[in-house]
Amino acid sequence: MSETIDPARPADPAPLPDAAVPEAKGTAPKRKRVVIVGAGFGGISAARVLEKSDLEVIVVDRTNHHLFQPLLYQVATAMLAPTDIAQPIRSVLDCTHHANLSVLLDSVEAVDKTSKAVVLGSGMRLAYDYLVLAPGSRYNYFGNDAEWAPHAPGLKTMDDAIMLRRRILMAFERAELSRDPEERRRLLTFVVIGGGPTGVEMAGAMAELAKATLARDFRHIDPKSTRIVLVEAVDELLGQFTDRQSAYTKETLEKMGVEVMLNAPVKGVESHRVMAGETAIEAETIIWCAGVSASPLVGQIGAETAKGGQVKVSRDFSVPGSPEIFVIGDAAAYEEDGRPLPALAPVAKQQGKHVGRLIAAREGQGRDPGQFHYRDWGTMATIGRAAAVGKFGKVTVKGFPAWLLWGGVHVAYLVGFRNRIMVIVNWLWAWLTYAKGARLITGADREAPERLPTKG
Ligand SMILES: Cc1cc2nc3c(=O)[nH]c(=O)nc-3n(C[C@H](O)[C@H](O)[C@H](O)COP(=O)(O)OP(=O)(O)OC[C@H]3O[C@@H](n4cnc5c(N)ncnc54)[C@H](O)[C@@H]3O)c2cc1C
């Protein structure tokens, strides 16, 4: 096969010069530049403050969308469509009306503190006066990333959710085709690792999908016989909630048909096999919802880090020794009252807003926000239809009221009016009919292409 050569494009393009981003319209040349890495909860909040300032603001993200991660599991289990929980970054930020703001679709590969520039995947170097690092976190396989991750994908990006949805739905389709009872059993076994909010939500949603939505859709298998196992290393689920709420969560999941294995630290993950404590479970689909660690990007800025790789930031979120670099959100280790703030969306949002205001104030564009204090509105987790738990200081709720509250809070936090309406409509429809409208099998499985059915 011959390769087409574009004469207009040099075979080996010269590297782009420093700060090679074209000057945004209406931006004065001497304006200070703030580069924000990551358009998640933290980065977007900082950018929303700074877009109103006179500073030049450049947001770099390796995806073109802001993602509402708390509802990713609903995409993976076909309740919601990908477009319901994501919005293009260019529309989340007001690029139309703020000429000082640019968005770049690229990944930041390195930070050069000496020359105050970030190096992008495209090869461009982008100079900064202030740098806000908000690249979030990734799943942590307790030192076994290379061996376990390929067999137990986590749920972090939209691609992860679409790939998992495909694997889950394909498992039912392949079980319907299989005539081997052992293979069918394996195909209809799903293991969720991690008994925190994401694992609980995922296991509950899987149970609803298998035992209600798909219950009568197949002829050769009984989806109600699907085995869903939730594996947790310690002796309770949802450790951050009260003992009664943890017990309620376990009981509710078990009523929904989920097998809960406590005190079962995962000792090994192989293709189609999990070693949970001393028990081996054969399963086609294994989903990792256990610990997270900070994005590796922040590990290379030479700052002291906590156990999970988060940068130990100063009281103003700057990196000690580099007052112009800030780290926020899941990538930062920040303590209040002697305890680290959790990796949660409201924490990242509040930190982003604070750092945005701080930078603006340093450039004489607003009042100093003073010392940061996290405003804790409480924590919630949903288990399934009409079942959730919530903890607001000393006040706890569970059951239907908690579930309503959980729904309201998540809709309020979603970015975009259209997304809010779509999510409410989908939830109402599912509530009335048990149907899950996004049951499409699309794309190819990058990680396991052999899972596609073959002829013969
Ligand atoms: C499945 C799941 C469920 C969750 N449920 C809840 C919940 O119910 N409630 C709650 O409060 N929190 C929840 N969280 C946690 C919450 O989503 C995070 O705490 C929050 O997203 C952290 O915000 P952040 O800005 O630090 O990072 P993120 O929101 O993760 O954003 C990071 C951004 O940086 C980009 N990025 C990363 N590396 C680079 C790079 N090198 N170059 C360019 N761009 C980069 C990413 O594409 C992403 O857009 C959940 C998380 C997950 C994964």
Side-chain angles (χ1 to χ4, degrees):
M1 216 197 318
S2 69
E3 201 186 331
T4 319
I5 295 172
D6 178 1
R9 194 173 140 246
D12 192 6
L16 286 152
D18 263 15
V21 175
E23 204 68 57
K25 261 188 279 153
T27 308
K30 292 274 156 53
R31 208 156 275 185
K32 290 236 174 122
R33 177 183 284 171
V34 185
V35 172
I36 299 174
V37 181
F41 287 100
I44 286 286
S45 292
R48 277 184 164 164
V49 173
L50 289 165
E51 70 182 4
K52 297 186 196 86
S53 75
D54 229 6
L55 301 166
E56 183 187 0
V57 182
I58 301 179
V59 177
V60 188
D61 199 294
R62 59 182 169 207
T63 71
N64 83 328
H65 51 267
H66 168 75
L67 179 63
F68 191 76
Q69 292 171 19
L71 291 179
L72 263 180
Y73 79 97
Q74 296 210 357
V75 172
T77 52
M79 166 70 92
L80 296 175
T83 46
D84 296 342
I85 64 158
Q87 277 269 80
I89 296 164
R90 288 177 199 283
S91 70
V92 175
L93 296 173
D94 193 358
C95 287
T96 314
H97 297 105
H98 296 288
N100 61 326
L101 173 73
S102 324
V103 176
L104 296 181
L105 175 63
D106 209 331
S107 78
V108 173
E109 302 294 329
V111 177
D112 180 349
K113 287 203 294 186
T114 317
S115 61
K116 291 194 182 172
V118 291
V119 182
L120 306 186
S122 59
M124 185 191 286
R125 288 173 67 86
L126 194 57
Y128 62 80
D129 295 297
Y130 292 100
L131 176 64
V132 180
L133 293 173
S137 54
R138 61 174 186 172
Y139 277 104
N140 169 4
Y141 291 79
F142 312 125
N144 301 291
D145 297 35
E147 300 83 35
W148 296 4
H151 311 300
L155 193 55
K156 190 72 196 158
T157 65
M158 187 61 88
D159 285 346
D160 293 339
I162 294 170
M163 187 265 287
L164 264 176
R165 181 180 71 182
R166 179 187 169 78
R167 282 194 187 179
I168 292 166
L169 296 176
M170 278 299 289
F172 289 98
E173 298 297 341
R174 290 179 60 210
E176 175 81 346
L177 288 173
S178 173
R179 296 292 169 264
D180 174 355
E182 205 171 300
E183 186 186 32
R184 267 192 191 173
R185 239 191 323 276
R186 194 194 68 225
L187 284 162
L188 294 182
T189 301
F190 298 83
V191 176
V192 179
I193 301 172
T198 305
V200 164
E201 287 168 354
M202 189 70 206
M206 279 294 313
E208 283 178 357
L209 176 72
K211 292 166 196 274
T213 309
L214 300 179
R216 285 189 288 274
D217 280 10
F218 292 86
R219 295 295 161 262
H220 302 288
I221 56 167
D222 176 11
K224 285 195 200 147
S225 69
T226 300
R227 187 175 174 214
I228 298 147
V229 189
L230 176 60
V231 176
E232 167 55 46
V234 300
D235 60 358
E236 61 176 5
L237 300 174
L238 300 182
Q240 63 274 61
F241 290 83
T242 63
D243 290 351
R244 282 179 66 183
Q245 288 178 311
S246 298
Y248 164 78
T249 303
K250 179 170 180 284
E251 199 181 299
T252 308
L253 281 174
E254 284 171 346
K255 275 191 201 144
M256 292 166 70
V258 175
E259 239 176 275
V260 179
M261 284 180 75
L262 299 178
N263 298 310
V266 169
K267 295 185 176 163
V269 181
E270 298 162 28
S271 172
H272 307 154
R273 194 164 195 266
V274 178
M275 200 64 204
E278 302 310 317
T279 311
I281 311 167
E282 303 286 329
E284 179 74 10
T285 312
I286 305 163
I287 304 163
W288 188 266
C289 300
V292 290
S293 53
S295 154
L297 178 66
V298 298
Q300 41 130 318
I301 57 173
E304 193 188 344
T305 55
K307 222 171 91 192
Q310 300 87 350
V311 173
K312 290 191 174 176
V313 290
S314 311
R315 300 311 295 160
D316 64 353
F317 298 97
S318 67
V319 173
S322 305
E324 72 288 359
I325 304 181
F326 299 86
V327 184
I328 55 172
D330 284 6
Y334 187 90
E335 288 194 357
E336 245 181 35
D337 304 326
R339 288 168 55 194
L341 291 183
L344 289 174
V347 173
K349 271 186 94 157
Q350 291 178 31
Q351 293 179 349
K353 187 173 175 187
H354 179 86
V355 164
R357 289 169 64 194
L358 192 77
I359 293 172
R362 280 196 193 166
E363 292 304 314
Q365 310 217 2
R367 274 190 315 165
D368 190 313
Q371 178 56 48
F372 175 83
H373 287 295
Y374 174 53
R375 190 171 277 216
D376 185 358
W377 296 105
T379 318
M380 308 195 77
T382 183
I383 307 161
R385 198 179 165 84
V389 287
K391 190 167 166 240
F392 312 93
K394 290 204 168 87
V395 179
T396 59
V397 275
K398 63 180 170 65
F400 186 62
W403 184 71
L404 277 184
L405 209 55
W406 174 90
V409 167
H410 279 69
V411 168
Y413 255 80
L414 262 174
V415 173
F417 182 69
R418 179 198 161 278
N419 286 10
R420 290 188 187 137
I421 298 294
M422 290 309 294
V423 167
I424 292 171
V425 169
N426 278 318
W427 283 352
L428 274 178
W429 187 249
W431 171 260
L432 294 172
T433 65
Y434 279 99
K436 298 200 178 202
R439 275 160 46 200
L440 302 183
I441 299 176
T442 56
D445 192 331
R446 289 189 319 273
E447 306 292 336
E450 81 287 355
R451 284 158 198 259
L452 292 167
T454 49
K455 272 190 190 165

